[in-house]
Amino acid sequence: MSFSNLNFLGLDEAGSGFEEAAVAVIPVPYERTVSFRAGCSRGPLAIIQASRSLELYDEEFELRPSDCGIHTAPELECDISPESMTRAVRETCLSAARAGKFVVTLGGEHSVTLGAFSAQKEIHPDVSVLSVDAHCDLRDSYQGSKFSHACVMRRVLETGARVTVAGARSMSSGEAEFARGREGLTVIPARETAGGGGEAVARVVESLGERVYLSIDADGLDPALMPAVGTPEPGGFGWEEITALLAAVFARREVVGMDFVELCPIDGMCAPEVTAARLIQKAIGYKFGGRAAGI
């Protein structure tokens, strides 16, 4: 099955036309620089297929987040170099963002974030980045490429944007040295976000600028909840922890765009892609369904 006959949440054409939609979902099944378990190129389609199983109504918001209108674009061409992919993603996301859409990019590997973020940076020069990730992705180069998934936040920092990595629990010694005292960079390890306490959530929010680009790497979640990743790490966000964080960020900051990346589907197991689809639906609800109570 291809993307051409699938819409996120299974919306019919009346609820998914580009002109009337507030949200544009852009699938980017790119997989070129992965370094451990392969399969993230199948992530976008798996998420869109799984989303069709979800109820459109959300009990937290007491409404249907999809009523804002969600358009699912055709998948991007991905048989290209990482540099060319970054440019293609940027151009596609920029076109949608300039049309007033809240752009949700589905990877593919984490390298797709650079293009999607760069589009928002063009429109919002002051945008900061929240990366929910087990890894810091701060290497200058990895396996011969500066556009590797392991380098994406280093490239984002080079644009002058402020970056917060939440839920980190794995980094190289070189990344640790680079991060130490680095202006514009905040790394909040998973041991501090465990439990979803208000203090940790407040620290994440306060580290961000008024406008935020949100990047969620699937391995930022606990592998007990999200085992379908290329580079799993013990620990990470549980469901209540990640939704509490997103509720706070969307309530207290202007989230201008987001992505969900690095899902590697496991044959015979559908829960991970359902979780990913539900989290994206939640994010859309936080964006368009009103502020979460008590935040």
Side-chain angles (χ1 to χ4, degrees):
M1 186 177 293
S2 68
F3 290 101
S4 61
N5 57 357
L6 282 181
N7 293 316
F8 188 73
L9 296 176
L11 301 178
D12 59 25
E13 289 301 320
S16 61
F18 182 79
E19 294 300 325
E20 64 269 22
V23 178
V25 175
I26 301 178
V28 188
Y30 191 79
E31 183 172 2
R32 182 67 67 89
T33 73
V34 294
S35 51
F36 187 47
R37 179 175 175 265
C40 63
S41 62
R42 298 189 291 131
L45 181 57
I47 291 170
I48 293 171
Q49 288 177 319
S51 74
R52 301 167 75 196
S53 73
L54 301 178
E55 292 285 355
L56 297 181
Y57 180 81
D58 189 292
E59 75 290 343
E60 179 179 358
F61 310 115
E62 298 184 345
L63 50 72
R64 305 192 326 168
S66 59
D67 284 349
C68 67
I70 303 173
H71 172 74
T72 305
E75 67 174 314
L76 264 64
E77 169 61 44
C78 288
D79 189 20
I80 51 179
S81 70
E83 297 91 333
S84 297
M85 178 274 297
T86 297
R87 288 192 294 270
V89 172
R90 179 186 178 280
E91 291 168 6
T92 302
C93 291
L94 185 58
S95 177
R98 281 178 170 163
K101 312 306 178 186
F102 181 72
V103 182
V104 179
T105 305
L106 303 181
E109 62 179 60
H110 210 164
S111 59
V112 307
T113 295
L114 182 58
F117 157 77
S118 296
Q120 297 298 335
K121 178 77 169 170
E122 176 76 16
I123 298 171
H124 308 288
D126 62 342
V127 68
S128 57
V129 175
L130 171 58
S131 178
V132 175
D133 200 335
H135 310 92
C136 290
D137 294 341
L138 293 171
R139 298 174 189 263
D140 185 44
S141 179
Y142 192 63
Q143 296 183 338
S145 175
K146 286 181 172 290
F147 289 85
S148 167
H149 68 103
C151 307
V152 61
M153 290 303 139
R154 182 77 165 255
R155 300 288 84 82
V156 169
L157 277 169
E158 290 172 351
T159 71
R162 187 188 310 180
V163 172
T164 296
V165 181
R169 50 202 191 273
S170 176
M171 68 171 68
S172 69
S173 58
E175 288 176 295
E177 182 178 354
F178 173 82
R180 194 171 294 115
R182 178 70 50 178
E183 184 177 354
L185 173 64
T186 302
V187 178
I188 303 177
R191 63 179 178 274
E192 295 183 21
T193 59
E199 184 175 338
V201 169
R203 185 182 172 201
V204 172
V205 174
E206 289 166 8
S207 71
L208 300 166
E210 288 303 310
R211 292 186 178 89
V212 176
Y213 181 84
L214 172 65
S215 180
I216 304 176
D217 187 316
D219 65 35
L221 306 179
D222 188 334
L225 173 67
M226 179 57 69
V229 299
T231 48
E233 293 287 345
F237 287 94
W239 181 255
E240 298 302 329
E241 295 166 342
I242 190 62
T243 53
L245 176 63
L246 295 192
V249 171
F250 275 91
R252 300 173 190 172
R253 296 292 187 266
E254 180 188 357
V255 181
V256 298
M258 67 171 290
D259 62 59
F260 191 100
V261 299
E262 300 276 355
L263 174 76
C264 298
I266 299 172
D267 291 343
M269 180 183 292
C270 66
E273 44 262 48
V274 171
T275 298
R278 185 77 168 105
L279 191 58
I280 294 163
Q281 183 189 39
K282 278 288 187 185
I284 294 170
Y286 291 130
K287 177 68 177 177
F288 295 101
R291 305 303 192 187
I295 293 187

